[in-house]
Amino acid sequence: MGGLQDFENRLEQMISGVFARAFRSAVQPVEISAALQRELDNNAQILSRDRRLVPNSFHVELSAADLERLAPFDNTLAKEMTEALRDHADQQSYVFPGPVRIRFEQADDLTTGRFRVRSQAQAKVTTNATDTQAGRATVFVEINGARNPLTPPGLVVGRGTEADLRINDPGVSRRHVEFRMEMRGDGPPALSVVDLGSTNGMVVDGDRLRTAPLRDGSTVKIGNTTMTIAVVNQERDR
């Protein structure tokens, strides 16, 4: 039966490609929903015997024609597809690291009837920083596109409530790393990151380390979350 199943899979792929180009058939919402569920199945990471981590951020890329056709219903479609994903996750004991988000985007390399799904796990992030701290900061820790201010003496990042910056990532310890910032007179601050004895460690600019100096653009990965250091020039940004 394995050979027959492989043949059917290849036939399905051929039809979805060749027939879409020949007859220019439009993408159907049910096809997108099925592809989103496959993204969960194909990218599930084992957390324990009964729990698996899956992506929660999805970008559905469509041709201009298909995107225009679906645009009036995109909010309703996203809501319905999100509910379908949650039901599928419950059935399979999948765990989302944060809110489920589905976005529809145009891709110029796709023809009518073709689509592509990109997904990633994006943990929910909570910070104790105030608006005043954010406004005065010159160094930030960027996570999932959001900037979190880094001010002296530093910032503890982890999953627990005692952390200054909390990340809902099962691969992150309660107190995982500490970003340190030391002022040096009128010169730029000295930046570093230290592992606080976490279970899974950290990766800084591609290397697994226990402590490391940081600069503008440095990346620190803990669990499934990547953080980027951003140093801004206040005079330039005004």
Side-chain angles (χ1 to χ4, degrees), residues 23 58 67 94 126 132 163 194-196 216 232:
F23 298 99
F58 304 89
L67 184 63
Y94 292 156
T126 307
T132 299
V194 178
D195 188 286
L196 298 177
D216 183 31
V232 301

Side-chain angles (χ1 to χ4, degrees), residues 136-142 147-151 179-184 186-192 213-219 227-237:
R136 294 177 177 176
T138 59
V139 182
F140 296 86
V141 179
E142 293 185 344
R147 282 184 167 183
N148 304 277
L150 174 58
T151 57
F179 289 95
R180 295 177 179 174
M181 182 177 182
E182 180 183 355
M183 303 307 296
R184 300 183 297 188
D186 295 332
L191 306 174
S192 62
L214 300 173
R215 53 177 175 74
D216 183 31
S218 289
T219 60
M227 302 173 285
T228 303
I229 295 297
V231 180
V232 301
N233 185 323
Q234 287 186 323
E235 295 298 327
R236 180 194 62 198
D237 292 348

Side-chain angles (χ1 to χ4, degrees), residues 62-73 106:
L62 302 155
S63 68
D66 281 319
L67 184 63
E68 181 180 5
R69 184 177 65 88
L70 296 177
F73 318 103
Q106 180 176 326

Side-chain angles (χ1 to χ4, degrees), residues 207-224:
D207 295 321
R208 185 168 291 277
L209 303 168
R210 301 296 297 181
T211 181
L214 300 173
R215 53 177 175 74
D216 183 31
S218 289
T219 60
V220 180
K221 183 176 182 180
I222 57 175
N224 294 282

Side-chain angles (χ1 to χ4, degrees), residues 14-113:
M14 180 186 71
I15 290 175
S16 66
V18 176
F19 277 57
R21 290 192 295 271
F23 298 99
R24 304 189 66 78
S25 55
V27 170
Q28 300 302 315
V30 66
E31 297 176 315
I32 299 176
S33 186
L36 291 171
Q37 293 184 35
R38 286 197 297 272
E39 281 292 302
L40 299 190
D41 298 335
N42 294 337
N43 294 283
Q45 301 180 43
I46 297 176
L47 297 176
S48 65
R49 183 166 58 181
D50 301 322
R51 298 169 69 240
R52 286 178 287 178
L53 180 73
V54 292
N56 63 312
S57 177
F58 304 89
H59 294 263
V60 180
E61 298 180 347
L62 302 155
S63 68
D66 281 319
L67 184 63
E68 181 180 5
R69 184 177 65 88
L70 296 177
F73 318 103
D74 58 358
N75 289 334
T76 300
L77 286 174
K79 182 178 179 180
E80 293 297 327
M81 291 176 183
T82 296
E83 290 302 315
L85 281 178
R86 292 193 180 281
D87 289 342
H88 185 65
D90 289 341
Q91 294 170 8
Q92 301 297 326
S93 298
Y94 292 156
V95 176
F96 294 113
V100 176
R101 297 185 178 90
I102 301 174
R103 298 178 178 84
F104 300 95
E105 302 173 349
Q106 180 176 326
D108 295 333
D109 64 322
L110 294 177
T111 56
T112 304

